[in-house]
Amino acid sequence: MQGEAARITLLVTQTLEQIGIPYAVGGSLASPEDTILSKLEWYRMGGEVSDRQWRDILGVLKTRSGELDLGYLRTWAGELKVADLLERALKEAE
């Protein structure tokens, strides 16, 4: 049973990485908020031209609308210097 769990964990990790969703250290999935923040950082570092990153950000915002901790998002977006991008994405995802 333990071997099966490890195989499934590895499969999930590989699948998430292939579709661009970060897998947190320690084996737990990143929260939707942390996924958004990570993608906002990548979008900024890439010169704000990656349609894929932007689509992913909007997709998480739209699918998790009403469930997200906006206070957490705004606090950390400010710390990460991506607050402007977060606000733009929130407006676009409405």
Side-chain angles (χ1 to χ4, degrees), residues 20-46:
I21 298 174
Y23 194 73
V25 175
S28 55
L29 295 174
S31 70
E33 291 86 354
D34 289 334
T35 298
I36 292 166
L37 292 167
S38 175
K39 289 192 168 285
L40 287 169
E41 282 188 291
W42 279 106
Y43 185 73
R44 167 85 16 105
M45 288 188 302

Side-chain angles (χ1 to χ4, degrees), residues 13-74:
T13 302
Q14 291 171 339
T15 302
L16 290 171
E17 288 173 355
Q18 288 174 352
I19 61 173
I21 298 174
Y23 194 73
V25 175
S28 55
L29 295 174
S31 70
E33 291 86 354
D34 289 334
T35 298
I36 292 166
L37 292 167
S38 175
K39 289 192 168 285
L40 287 169
E41 282 188 291
W42 279 106
Y43 185 73
R44 167 85 16 105
M45 288 188 302
E48 301 178 26
V49 297
S50 173
D51 289 335
R52 178 182 178 175
Q53 294 295 340
W54 193 251
R55 277 193 317 269
D56 289 350
I57 292 162
L58 295 179
V60 176
L61 288 170
K62 289 175 182 178
T63 59
R64 296 299 187 133
S65 179
E67 300 172 22
L68 296 169
D69 183 342
L70 295 178
Y72 177 89
L73 274 172
R74 286 187 168 113

Side-chain angles (χ1 to χ4, degrees), residues 37 40-41 44 71-84 86:
L37 292 167
L40 287 169
E41 282 188 291
R44 167 85 16 105
Y72 177 89
L73 274 172
R74 286 187 168 113
T75 296
W76 281 102
E79 292 289 322
L80 299 169
K81 310 285 191 258
V82 294
D84 58 321
L86 174 62

